[in-house]
CSV table of all heavy atoms in Angstrom, one decimal:
chain,number,residue,atom,x,y,z
A,321,LYS,N,31.8,12.6,20.7
A,321,LYS,CA,32.3,12.3,22.0
A,321,LYS,C,31.3,11.4,22.7
A,321,LYS,O,30.1,11.6,22.8
A,321,LYS,CB,32.5,13.6,22.8
A,321,LYS,CG,33.5,14.5,22.3
A,321,LYS,CD,33.5,15.8,23.0
A,321,LYS,CE,34.5,16.8,22.4
A,321,LYS,NZ,34.5,18.2,23.1
A,322,PHE,N,31.9,10.3,23.3
A,322,PHE,CA,31.0,9.3,24.0
A,322,PHE,C,31.8,8.8,25.2
A,322,PHE,O,32.9,8.3,25.1
A,322,PHE,CB,30.7,8.2,23.0
A,322,PHE,CG,29.8,7.1,23.6
A,322,PHE,CD1,28.5,7.3,24.0
A,322,PHE,CD2,30.3,5.8,23.6
A,322,PHE,CE1,27.7,6.3,24.5
A,322,PHE,CE2,29.5,4.7,24.1
A,322,PHE,CZ,28.2,5.0,24.5
A,323,SER,N,31.1,8.8,26.4
A,323,SER,CA,31.7,8.3,27.6
A,323,SER,C,31.0,6.9,27.9
A,323,SER,O,29.9,6.9,28.3
A,323,SER,CB,31.4,9.2,28.8
A,323,SER,OG,32.0,8.7,29.9
A,324,ALA,N,31.8,5.9,27.6
A,324,ALA,CA,31.2,4.5,27.7
A,324,ALA,C,31.1,4.1,29.1
A,324,ALA,O,31.9,4.4,30.0
A,324,ALA,CB,32.1,3.5,26.9
A,325,PHE,N,30.0,3.4,29.4
A,325,PHE,CA,29.8,2.8,30.8
A,325,PHE,C,30.0,1.3,30.7
A,325,PHE,O,29.4,0.6,29.9
A,325,PHE,CB,28.3,3.1,31.2
A,325,PHE,CG,27.9,2.4,32.5
A,325,PHE,CD1,28.4,2.8,33.7
A,325,PHE,CD2,27.1,1.3,32.4
A,325,PHE,CE1,28.0,2.2,34.9
A,325,PHE,CE2,26.7,0.7,33.6
A,325,PHE,CZ,27.2,1.1,34.8
A,326,LYS,N,30.9,0.8,31.6
A,326,LYS,CA,31.2,-0.6,31.6
A,326,LYS,C,31.6,-1.2,30.2
A,326,LYS,O,31.0,-2.1,29.7
A,326,LYS,CB,30.1,-1.5,32.2
A,326,LYS,CG,29.8,-1.2,33.7
A,326,LYS,CD,28.6,-1.9,34.2
A,326,LYS,CE,29.0,-3.3,34.7
A,326,LYS,NZ,29.7,-3.2,36.0
A,327,PRO,N,32.6,-0.5,29.6
A,327,PRO,CA,32.9,-0.9,28.2
A,327,PRO,C,33.5,-2.3,28.0
A,327,PRO,O,33.4,-2.9,26.9
A,327,PRO,CB,33.9,0.2,27.7
A,327,PRO,CG,34.5,0.7,29.0
A,327,PRO,CD,33.4,0.6,30.0
A,328,GLU,N,34.0,-2.8,29.1
A,328,GLU,CA,34.7,-4.1,29.0
A,328,GLU,C,33.8,-5.3,29.4
A,328,GLU,O,34.3,-6.5,29.4
A,328,GLU,CB,36.0,-4.2,29.9
A,328,GLU,CG,36.9,-3.0,29.7
A,328,GLU,CD,37.5,-3.0,28.3
A,328,GLU,OE1,37.7,-4.1,27.7
A,328,GLU,OE2,37.7,-1.9,27.8
A,329,TRP,N,32.6,-5.1,29.7
A,329,TRP,CA,31.7,-6.1,30.2
A,329,TRP,C,30.3,-6.1,29.5
A,329,TRP,O,29.8,-5.0,29.2
A,329,TRP,CB,31.5,-5.9,31.7
A,329,TRP,CG,30.9,-7.1,32.5
A,329,TRP,CD1,31.4,-8.3,32.7
A,329,TRP,CD2,29.5,-7.1,33.0
A,329,TRP,NE1,30.5,-9.1,33.4
A,329,TRP,CE2,29.4,-8.4,33.6
A,329,TRP,CE3,28.5,-6.2,33.1
A,329,TRP,CZ2,28.2,-8.8,34.2
A,329,TRP,CZ3,27.3,-6.6,33.7
A,329,TRP,CH2,27.2,-7.9,34.3
A,330,GLY,N,29.8,-7.2,29.2
A,330,GLY,CA,28.5,-7.2,28.6
A,330,GLY,C,28.5,-6.5,27.3
A,330,GLY,O,27.6,-5.7,27.0
A,331,THR,N,29.5,-6.8,26.4
A,331,THR,CA,29.8,-6.0,25.2
A,331,THR,C,28.7,-6.2,24.1
A,331,THR,O,28.8,-5.5,23.1
A,331,THR,CB,31.1,-6.4,24.7
A,331,THR,OG1,31.2,-7.8,24.5
A,331,THR,CG2,32.2,-5.9,25.7
A,332,SER,N,27.7,-7.1,24.3
A,332,SER,CA,26.7,-7.1,23.2
A,332,SER,C,25.7,-6.0,23.4
A,332,SER,O,24.8,-5.8,22.5
A,332,SER,CB,26.0,-8.5,23.2
A,332,SER,OG,25.2,-8.6,24.4
A,333,ILE,N,25.8,-5.2,24.4
A,333,ILE,CA,25.1,-3.9,24.5
A,333,ILE,C,26.1,-2.8,24.8
A,333,ILE,O,27.0,-3.0,25.7
A,333,ILE,CB,24.0,-4.0,25.6
A,333,ILE,CG1,22.8,-4.7,25.0
A,333,ILE,CG2,23.6,-2.6,26.1
A,333,ILE,CD1,21.6,-4.7,26.0
A,334,ILE,N,26.0,-1.7,24.1
A,334,ILE,CA,26.9,-0.5,24.4
A,334,ILE,C,26.1,0.4,25.2
A,334,ILE,O,24.9,0.8,24.9
A,334,ILE,CB,27.3,0.1,23.1
A,334,ILE,CG1,28.0,-0.9,22.1
A,334,ILE,CG2,28.1,1.4,23.3
A,334,ILE,CD1,29.3,-1.4,22.7
A,335,THR,N,26.6,0.9,26.3
A,335,THR,CA,26.0,1.9,27.1
A,335,THR,C,26.9,3.1,27.4
A,335,THR,O,28.2,2.9,27.5
A,335,THR,CB,25.5,1.3,28.5
A,335,THR,OG1,26.6,0.7,29.1
A,335,THR,CG2,24.4,0.3,28.3
A,336,GLY,N,26.4,4.3,27.5
A,336,GLY,CA,27.3,5.4,27.9
A,336,GLY,C,26.5,6.7,27.7
A,336,GLY,O,25.4,6.8,27.3
A,337,PHE,N,27.3,7.8,27.9
A,337,PHE,CA,26.7,9.2,27.9
A,337,PHE,C,27.3,10.0,26.7
A,337,PHE,O,28.4,9.8,26.4
A,337,PHE,CB,27.0,9.9,29.2
A,337,PHE,CG,26.5,9.2,30.4
A,337,PHE,CD1,27.3,8.4,31.2
A,337,PHE,CD2,25.2,9.3,30.8
A,337,PHE,CE1,26.8,7.7,32.3
A,337,PHE,CE2,24.7,8.7,31.9
A,337,PHE,CZ,25.5,7.9,32.7
A,338,ALA,N,26.4,10.8,26.2
A,338,ALA,CA,26.8,11.7,25.1
A,338,ALA,C,25.9,12.9,25.1
A,338,ALA,O,24.9,12.9,25.9
A,338,ALA,CB,26.8,11.0,23.8
A,339,ARG,N,26.1,13.8,24.2
A,339,ARG,CA,25.2,15.0,24.0
A,339,ARG,C,24.7,15.0,22.6
A,339,ARG,O,25.4,14.7,21.6
A,339,ARG,CB,25.9,16.3,24.3
A,339,ARG,CG,26.2,16.5,25.8
A,339,ARG,CD,26.8,17.8,26.1
A,339,ARG,NE,27.2,17.9,27.5
A,339,ARG,CZ,26.4,18.3,28.5
A,339,ARG,NH1,25.1,18.7,28.2
A,339,ARG,NH2,26.8,18.4,29.7
A,340,ILE,N,23.4,15.3,22.4
A,340,ILE,CA,22.8,15.5,21.1
A,340,ILE,C,22.2,16.9,21.1
A,340,ILE,O,21.3,17.2,21.9
A,340,ILE,CB,21.8,14.4,20.8
A,340,ILE,CG1,22.5,13.0,20.7
A,340,ILE,CG2,21.0,14.7,19.5
A,340,ILE,CD1,21.5,11.9,20.5
Side-chain angles (χ1 to χ4, degrees):
K321 297 172 183 176
F322 180 64
S323 178
F325 171 75
K326 295 176 87 75
E328 307 299 327
W329 191 71
T331 54
S332 69
I333 280 184
I334 304 296
T335 53
F337 301 98
R339 293 184 183 273
I340 295 178

